[in-house]
Amino acid sequence: MPKSSVSKTLKQTRLLVSAYFLYSGASVTIWTVHIPYFVKVMQLSALQVSAIILFMGIGALIATQVLGPVADHRGNKAVLMGSVFANLLVFCAIGVAPSYLYLLSIAVLVGAAIGTMDFSMNAQAVDVEHAYKRPIFSSFHAFWSLGGLLGATIAGATLWLESPIWVTFATWGLLALFLLTASKKFLLHTPKVQTHELSKAEIKAQAQADAALNRPYLKIIVLLGLMAGSGALMEGLGIDWSALYLNQQLGETLSRASISVAVFSGAMAAFRAVADKVLARIGRINLIHFEGLLASAGIAIAVLMPTGSLSLIGWLIAGLGVSSIVPQLFAYSATVGAKSHSGRNMAKVFGFTYAVMLGGPALIGYLASVFDLRTALSIGIALGLLVAAATSILPKKTD
């Protein structure tokens, strides 16, 4: 579809969904950048911090599985708009955390709120891309990456200014309400299950028929979840562990080692900005395949080269490679199986992704303690090859 044929309203919808991605990405980093604050104030141990992160993942996992069917029946628009209120409430609640147990319980709700927005905005983005009739999905994730940078900047500035934490979190939660001002008019309403004018018996029969139609694709959904989880874990290697690796294994100073995170994240954001053009040329499955190979090669260079400078080149390549794996698998998951189960299938992929992300850091930590960090990070080489190889199993008709 030529760009000129895209309606003004649809362009406004795309801009609004991009704003959701920006807000979601910033929400994650505003929360995570403040974790050291809670560690200091509440004198938390590393184990207690791990529990907070674990509970966040559990909240996100539960929320996506519960709300997947809701998105199919009522449309992801309703779920996405509801997530705004959820984020408002939990962010206001974070700012007044009086104790660790309170913070731990809130972490479940934070994960549920952010996970709900994450899942539903991706589903909405798939619908917008379908309406555009050309690849635009990666551009939304470029806004998510930009949001992460924005959130980290805001959080760092408010901490430097010593702004009361409840003001920071309440203000950020209230800002989400601006998304609602245009949501009712511009978000697409695309429920996948039509049950109006049907009797209860007909609705039940339709549900059983749809479930039977979708059942053969469940193995593919599981595979997509494992692939997306692998991609997310590789993202974590670059963002969470690369600086520590350069410092501990290659002897770089802390300031120089921290460059690896910027290099890796910058490469991810840069490729996401142009990935849709590449996708239009080679197709979604081929893009995922080559990204897996590139990510594997980049991580191999990063962990096998003997100097920090050469390792940085590897992290740059790895960032380019891993950048589109998760977004494109999310988009692909919405096209697999029965149309009536689109939301549920995507939610399952999100669920498996969160599950792998929960266990990933523990696995890396265990391998690092038994062997060394270089050996632990080398798992990324295998994960990239796994993603690339698994694309040969994916149905080509939906590409």
Side-chain angles (χ1 to χ4, degrees), residues 87 98 149 235 291-292:
N87 276 267
L149 178 60
E235 290 182 21
E291 285 276 271

Side-chain angles (χ1 to χ4, degrees), residues 11 22 34 68 98 103 114 127 221 258 278 280 339 353 369 387-388:
K11 290 179 180 178
L22 184 76
H34 277 87
L103 191 62
I114 293 177
D127 291 337
I221 296 300
S258 66
V278 179
K339 184 178 180 180
T353 303
S369 64
V387 169

Side-chain angles (χ1 to χ4, degrees), residues 1-22:
M1 178 188 287
K3 292 184 179 180
S4 59
S5 65
V6 177
S7 69
K8 180 180 179 180
T9 300
L10 188 55
K11 290 179 180 178
Q12 291 171 319
T13 299
R14 179 181 181 180
L15 181 62
L16 175 59
V17 176
S18 297
Y20 268 100
F21 273 80
L22 184 76

Side-chain angles (χ1 to χ4, degrees), residues 67 99 101 115 175 234 265 289 323:
L67 293 172
S99 67
L101 289 179
L175 283 175
M234 285 190 286
S265 300
H289 176 80
S323 62

Side-chain angles (χ1 to χ4, degrees), residues 37-61:
Y37 167 86
F38 291 110
V39 171
K40 181 179 180 180
V41 171
M42 298 180 182
Q43 298 185 349
L44 305 179
S45 67
L47 184 60
Q48 288 174 312
V49 174
S50 298
I52 291 174
I53 297 172
L54 175 64
F55 275 49
M56 280 184 62
I58 291 173
L61 178 61

Side-chain angles (χ1 to χ4, degrees), residues 105-185:
S105 61
I106 287 296
V108 178
L109 301 179
V110 171
I114 293 177
T116 297
M117 181 174 285
D118 192 11
F119 147 65
S120 55
M121 73 185 184
N122 272 278
Q124 178 75 193
V126 170
D127 291 337
V128 175
E129 181 181 68
H130 180 74
Y132 257 73
K133 293 182 170 61
R134 60 182 173 87
I136 61 169
F137 193 81
S138 287
S139 67
F140 293 116
H141 281 263
F143 274 94
W144 194 91
S145 297
L146 181 61
L149 178 60
L150 174 65
T153 303
I154 292 173
T158 56
L159 287 170
W160 181 72
L161 293 171
E162 297 184 350
S163 171
I165 192 168
W166 70 267
V167 172
T168 301
F169 279 92
T171 300
W172 186 251
L174 288 168
L175 283 175
L177 295 178
F178 285 100
L179 295 171
L180 287 181
T181 58
S183 292
K184 185 174 182 181
K185 179 179 180 181

Side-chain angles (χ1 to χ4, degrees), residues 317-374:
I317 296 171
L320 292 172
V322 80
S323 62
S324 288
I325 292 175
V326 175
Q328 295 307 327
L329 285 167
F330 284 165
Y332 181 86
S333 68
T335 70
V336 175
K339 184 178 180 180
S340 61
H341 282 58
S342 174
R344 277 164 281 192
N345 289 339
M346 179 177 271
K348 285 184 174 65
V349 172
F350 269 80
F352 279 107
T353 303
Y354 281 119
V356 174
M357 288 171 63
L358 287 175
L363 175 61
I364 299 301
Y366 172 76
L367 291 175
S369 64
V370 174
F371 303 103
D372 56 25
L373 192 54
R374 173 179 278 116

